[in-house]
Amino acid sequence: VGLSGPMKASGIMVCVRKRPLNPKELAARELDVISLQPPNMLVAHAMRPHVYRDPILHNQNFRFDRVFDEDCSNAGVFNYTARPLIRHIFEGGWATCFAYGQTGSGKTHTMGGVVEGRNQNVMDSIYAMAASEVFSILQEPESAQRNLRVGCSFFEIYNTKIYDLLSPGNKQPLRMQENCQHQMEVMDLRECPTSGTAEVLALLNTGNGARALGKTSANEKSSRSHAIFQIVLRSANSQKAYGKFSLIDLAGSERAADNSSSDSQTCTESAEINKSLLVLKECIHAMGRNDPYIPFRDCKLTQVLRDSFIGKNVKTCMIATIAPGMRSVNSTLNTLRYANRVKEL
Ligand code: ADP
Ligand code: MG
């Protein structure tokens, strides 16, 4: 059995998180077809149809920087993924951490799109733990000297349009513009000054509430938009950005494969998601190779992230979330292949 894995170490860290079988899958006695061999190996057991005999079991092996099994908590995932990036922004760096995977695989559970009233501890999410870590580092004497302030933004990209999740009254899409320092800026995006974790939790509640409002019973909009939560460190004197951390809950990756819908709205959405996930991969590739040209202009998502992609001082972490069930195995393999290609240079 061939081993697919990264050929070369690159600037991006790629991790995979497997969720447990959910009650529905358990009731249907679905098989768990993903075995992890921590710290970094994963085996997918896929059935391959056979013409003359019973289907044969075909194992596919993958190697990542880290794999997290169904027993791993959000805190466990946080420690190896977002946490090291927070030190990086305190050193004046730019960081991005994104969750990629099919709808229902655990992106929002991991990142923290928790809506008030839902049965999950809001502190137990990467958004919240990242904020809490930022405030605790801010207390250290060394960072106190730098005199930094913390601001948070939360927005989503839906069908190439940017919507502010922290100004729920404002339903108008926001525009992008290059500022005088040649940085791409989302015009009029709200950046709320925050001085503690409790304030950030309140913002997350507002934003998650705004995101959930776009839902209809037939179509869950949140699975079709990218949600971006940003923590910005600014110098208190100049207001210049000192470091920035973007934490992203990407649109469901199954849309990338599904362009078969007859509904034109769904078709446009799928094509757009497909494109943005491809461009994202290409940008990460180009960064890893130190290419002079990075195709960030090709979609809104990467335009927004441009400053986090160019320059020497950027770090990226991807968390690929996967469902363990037999019925999801094709989507899971697509996610694993995408994650693998992000890593290959
Ligand atoms: P996505 O955002 O990728 O569509 P969700 O995060 O909404 O998926 O997860 C789908 C369901 O599975 C939710 O009910 C969530 O609470 C549950 N879930 C996801 N990951 C885990 C996990 N690691 N442990 C326990 N439950 C999980
Ligand atoms: Mg989600």
Side-chain angles (χ1 to χ4, degrees), residues 279-290:
V279 173
L280 177 66
K281 186 170 68 183
E282 276 162 20
C283 286
I284 294 169
H285 250 160
M287 283 189 296
R289 284 195 250 104
N290 281 325

Side-chain angles (χ1 to χ4, degrees), residues 88-133:
H88 181 65
I89 62 165
F90 274 91
E91 283 152 16
W94 299 68
T96 310
C97 174
F98 59 91
Y100 177 102
Q102 74 172 111
T103 300
S105 60
K107 295 181 298 295
T108 306
H109 173 89
T110 303
M111 298 310 278
V114 190
V115 179
E116 205 167 18
R118 236 176 67 181
N119 198 13
Q120 189 190 338
N121 181 1
V122 75
M123 264 315 288
D124 176 39
S125 73
I126 287 189
Y127 290 158
M129 285 184 279
S132 158
E133 177 82 357

Side-chain angles (χ1 to χ4, degrees), residues 107-108 211 222 249:
K107 295 181 298 295
T108 306
R211 205 176 179 214
S222 78
D249 183 351

Side-chain angles (χ1 to χ4, degrees), residues 2-121:
L3 181 75
S4 5
M7 307 309 290
K8 249 199 269 175
S10 62
I12 178 167
M13 175 147 113
V14 179
C15 305
V16 174
R17 182 184 205 184
K18 173 192 176 187
R19 71 154 165 78
L21 284 164
N22 64 31
K24 215 168 146 189
E25 290 160 345
L26 286 170
R29 296 179 182 243
E30 219 176 296
L31 284 178
D32 178 343
V33 295
I34 304 295
S35 321
L36 302 188
Q37 293 158 15
N40 58 6
M41 297 292 293
L42 182 153
V43 187
H45 314 280
M47 290 297 221
R48 193 182 262 174
H50 196 281
V51 188
Y52 307 111
R53 290 181 276 132
D54 289 339
I56 45 171
L57 192 65
H58 175 73
N59 288 345
Q60 273 183 270
N61 297 282
F62 294 88
R63 193 210 314 263
F64 295 101
D65 290 308
R66 194 110 204 159
V67 294
F68 304 104
D69 68 19
E70 58 271 41
D71 299 324
C72 187
S73 65
N74 276 353
V77 175
F78 172 73
N79 277 337
Y80 285 100
T81 54
R83 188 174 223 161
L85 298 182
I86 295 165
R87 283 281 163 201
H88 181 65
I89 62 165
F90 274 91
E91 283 152 16
W94 299 68
T96 310
C97 174
F98 59 91
Y100 177 102
Q102 74 172 111
T103 300
S105 60
K107 295 181 298 295
T108 306
H109 173 89
T110 303
M111 298 310 278
V114 190
V115 179
E116 205 167 18
R118 236 176 67 181
N119 198 13
Q120 189 190 338
N121 181 1

Side-chain angles (χ1 to χ4, degrees), residues 246-258:
S246 304
L247 299 115
I248 305 170
D249 183 351
L250 290 171
S253 59
E254 71 281 4
R255 308 282 164 182
D258 175 23

